[in-house]
Amino acid sequence: MQLELFSQGSSPVHRLDPRVKLTVFVPAAVLCASSDRFSTVITLLFAAGTLITAARLWSALLWQRMLVINTFVLFLWLTLPFSMQGTPVMTTGPMTVTAEGMMLSMLITLKTNAISLMTIALPGTTPVMSLAHALQHLGMPSKLVNVFYIFYRYSGVIVTEFETMKQTLKARGFSPATNMHTVRTWASVAGMLFIRSFERAERISSALRLRGFQGQFPLMNHFRATRRDVLFAMVSFCCLTILMFI
Amino acid sequence: MNCLEIHQLNFSYPGGRRVFRDLNLSVQSGEKAALTGANGAGKSTLFQLLTGLLKPQSGSIVAWGKTVTSEEEFRQMRRRTGLMFQDPDDQLICPSVEEDIAFTLLNHGMPPREVAGKVDEICRKLGLAALKTRVPFHLSWGQKQLVSLAGILVTEPQLLLLDEPTAGADDHLKSLMLDHLQQFTGTLLVSSHDSDFLERLCSSAYHISNGSVMR
């Protein structure tokens, strides 16, 4: 599953209490997103990189992920340096690149990468069920947590149904083209997928009622914060506080 | 004593399709009964009515000598009943086989240590010990069906309702299911089109046709 690509492992980061990971991740991400200082953002990027190293996650898969994220950032570089007013650095025809535009693009790039790496290193190293539980422990309403978990659980099933429908279309001689028949076919597929999802939702609801579900997913192994978790949280909060005020 | 009795039950789906008209049925405790009927005859609907997942327009359901009408009464009845769905993906919801098998017991408030012991035992019985830490959604269809069955049998139900348990199952899985279901001592109601499986498992049969049941 897409959300759990990095969740398996036995590194110190993987073993951290999910509640601690979320409690550190949220303020760190907010600080990174709201800061306009390069020093703060670079420090957080470095911290995120350190966590990734500690989680032993540097791999081709991680680089692929970062490449996808930075592809979107590239579009920013194609517009922002040209559209922001400020000190001209370079002129190409009617377009002028400004120093302020370049700096802002760089800042956003660093922020994006720092937050992405933090997301992979902290919530990304936690199985989704544990993440859902941690959210519940941290006061998120049960209904939202259940929607998050059930969406995650069944998105894969719906994708599989969509793939089966695509194969059926292929087997029946359908090949997409730019015409009304293609539009109608895809509309039918979307409608059928919606109906199937709705019917499945009803069956899942029945199954949950049958199995005595009372609005919260029970856990066999409950969270227990260790001294290491407390230490990680304290060090992280101290660093974030310093970064906020320097 | 009858485990289950249905009196004069009428049920139609919203939109008008009438499924049952004055349906009567009684199943004795310990009976292993087959439920047959054409596609769309109402076999799955009957299971949903019996467990209170659907509400009939009229008629009554009596389980273990007690008329069941309110949601609370059905909830109590469901604690003693296991229903296996046709598609195991509807039933398997937890991120590991072990947690999924434990799900119902934990919902019923059993202490996790006791649950762990019961899960170990049922996994050993059904040969699922090696799959305990696996993600249920990544298992084969047959393995998913076995995990669904384990999640039901672990609760030690007195009434077991199986909706097309052999759909998509290979011969090995069928014989494995048969072995375990033959040892089941409670009341069993199995809906299936697999006549060989039904013959080997069940001692009586009910046929649904035109909204009523014939023995």
Side-chain angles (χ1 to χ4, degrees):
Chain A
M1 294 259 183
Q2 293 292 308
L3 283 177
E4 287 191 321
L5 287 174
F6 301 99
S7 69
Q8 300 306 314
S10 56
S11 74
V13 180
H14 282 93
R15 280 183 278 133
L16 280 172
D17 188 315
R19 293 170 299 179
V20 170
K21 289 190 202 180
L22 284 177
T23 321
V24 170
F25 168 72
V26 174
V30 170
L31 177 65
C32 188
S34 58
S35 177
D36 52 6
R37 269 177 285 173
F38 271 93
S39 57
T40 306
V41 176
I42 289 170
T43 309
L44 285 168
L45 180 63
F46 178 73
T50 309
L51 283 172
I52 291 280
T53 308
R56 298 177 208 124
L57 290 179
W58 292 115
S59 60
L61 184 65
L62 181 80
W63 288 113
Q64 273 174 22
R65 284 288 148 125
M66 297 313 290
L67 186 69
V68 172
I69 292 159
N70 283 290
T71 307
F72 288 99
V73 175
L74 184 68
F75 287 103
L76 193 82
W77 279 92
L78 292 174
T79 53
L80 202 57
F82 301 98
S83 58
M84 200 167 173
Q85 287 192 338
T87 319
V89 177
M90 195 174 76
T91 305
T92 319
M95 314 277 271
T96 304
V97 178
T98 65
E100 285 78 0
M102 295 275 283
M103 293 305 273
L104 187 59
S105 301
M106 178 55 80
L107 188 65
I108 294 172
T109 306
L110 291 172
K111 281 183 183 191
T112 309
N113 283 282
I115 294 173
S116 305
L117 288 175
M118 266 188 249
T119 311
I120 292 170
L122 292 170
T125 52
T126 313
V128 170
M129 187 70 149
S130 303
L131 209 55
H133 266 279
L135 287 169
Q136 204 146 8
H137 276 288
L138 295 172
M140 188 177 263
S142 297
K143 275 191 183 167
L144 282 181
V145 175
N146 293 342
V147 166
F148 163 69
Y149 177 71
I150 292 173
F151 169 77
Y152 160 74
R153 160 65 181 95
Y154 286 98
S155 55
V157 176
I158 291 167
V159 168
T160 309
E161 275 186 8
F162 177 59
E163 293 299 330
T164 311
M165 285 164 92
K166 277 205 305 191
Q167 281 169 358
T168 312
L169 287 177
K170 217 179 202 177
R172 295 181 69 188
F174 171 74
S175 60
T178 315
N179 55 30
M180 277 313 286
H181 174 64
T182 303
V183 173
R184 267 197 296 269
T185 305
W186 285 127
S188 303
V189 167
M192 191 52 74
L193 205 58
F194 177 76
I195 291 167
R196 284 190 188 181
S197 305
F198 183 77
E199 286 176 344
R200 189 177 285 279
E202 286 194 326
R203 293 198 301 271
I204 295 161
S205 164
S206 297
L208 284 172
R209 280 172 65 195
L210 266 169
R211 300 184 73 187
F213 182 66
Q214 285 159 359
Q216 283 189 13
F217 282 95
L219 252 195
M220 273 183 91
N221 303 310
H222 288 275
F223 298 137
R224 273 197 188 85
T226 60
R227 216 176 287 170
R228 194 185 47 208
D229 296 312
V230 176
L231 186 69
F232 175 76
M234 282 171 64
V235 171
S236 303
F237 285 126
C238 285
C239 295
L240 289 174
T241 312
I242 293 166
L243 278 175
M244 208 185 303
F245 291 109
I246 55 165
Chain B
M1 184 194 171
N2 283 336
C3 163
L4 207 59
E5 287 171 39
I6 298 174
H7 302 291
Q8 301 292 309
L9 186 125
N10 286 285
F11 178 75
S12 305
Y13 276 109
R17 192 172 81 85
R18 195 174 187 117
V19 186
F20 296 121
R21 186 194 302 265
D22 297 330
L23 181 134
N24 292 294
L25 172 75
S26 61
V27 181
Q28 286 184 338
S29 288
E31 186 176 341
K32 286 190 169 69
L35 191 65
T36 58
N39 286 333
K43 301 185 292 292
S44 303
T45 305
L46 182 61
F47 285 162
Q48 287 181 301
L49 286 162
L50 288 175
T51 46
L53 298 173
L54 289 174
K55 295 271 174 281
Q57 273 80 41
S58 63
S60 63
I61 294 168
V62 181
W64 296 287
K66 196 179 165 198
T67 306
V68 196
T69 44
S70 68
E71 178 56 24
E72 183 49 38
E73 286 165 339
F74 272 112
R75 192 174 295 146
Q76 291 305 318
M77 183 203 173
R78 288 198 285 262
R79 288 178 81 109
R80 302 165 73 181
T81 308
L83 168 58
M84 186 174 163
F85 282 59
Q86 215 168 322
D87 183 348
D89 266 322
D90 294 337
Q91 208 159 331
L92 303 176
I93 197 150
C94 296
S96 74
V97 166
E98 184 182 23
E99 283 170 291
D100 207 282
I101 295 172
F103 184 74
T104 312
L105 293 176
L106 291 170
N107 282 332
H108 291 169
M110 189 179 275
R113 195 171 293 176
E114 208 177 316
V115 171
K118 281 185 174 287
V119 170
D120 281 346
E121 193 187 326
I122 196 79
C123 284
R124 209 172 37 247
K125 272 188 188 167
L126 292 180
L128 293 169
L131 302 179
K132 266 171 65 180
T133 55
R134 294 272 301 273
V135 181
F137 341 137
H138 297 163
L139 300 177
S140 69
W141 181 265
Q143 288 170 330
K144 282 182 187 175
Q145 279 180 313
L146 265 188
V147 175
S148 297
L149 187 62
I152 293 165
L153 290 180
V154 77
T155 62
E156 296 167 9
Q158 288 164 276
L159 170 63
L160 190 53
L161 308 170
L162 306 177
D163 193 359
E164 302 278 0
T166 56
D170 60 17
D171 289 343
H172 173 69
L173 180 66
K174 274 187 208 175
S175 72
L176 201 63
M177 275 189 178
L178 207 55
D179 284 348
H180 292 290
L181 293 173
Q182 278 167 340
Q183 288 167 28
F184 178 68
T185 51
T187 310
L188 182 69
L189 206 49
V190 192
S191 116
S192 179
H193 293 288
D194 187 338
S195 50
D196 178 51
F197 183 81
L198 292 178
E199 266 174 35
R200 290 166 69 186
L201 180 64
C202 303
S203 51
S204 57
Y206 299 93
H207 184 73
I208 301 182
S209 177
N210 297 323
S212 57
V213 172
M214 290 168 288
R215 197 177 167 109

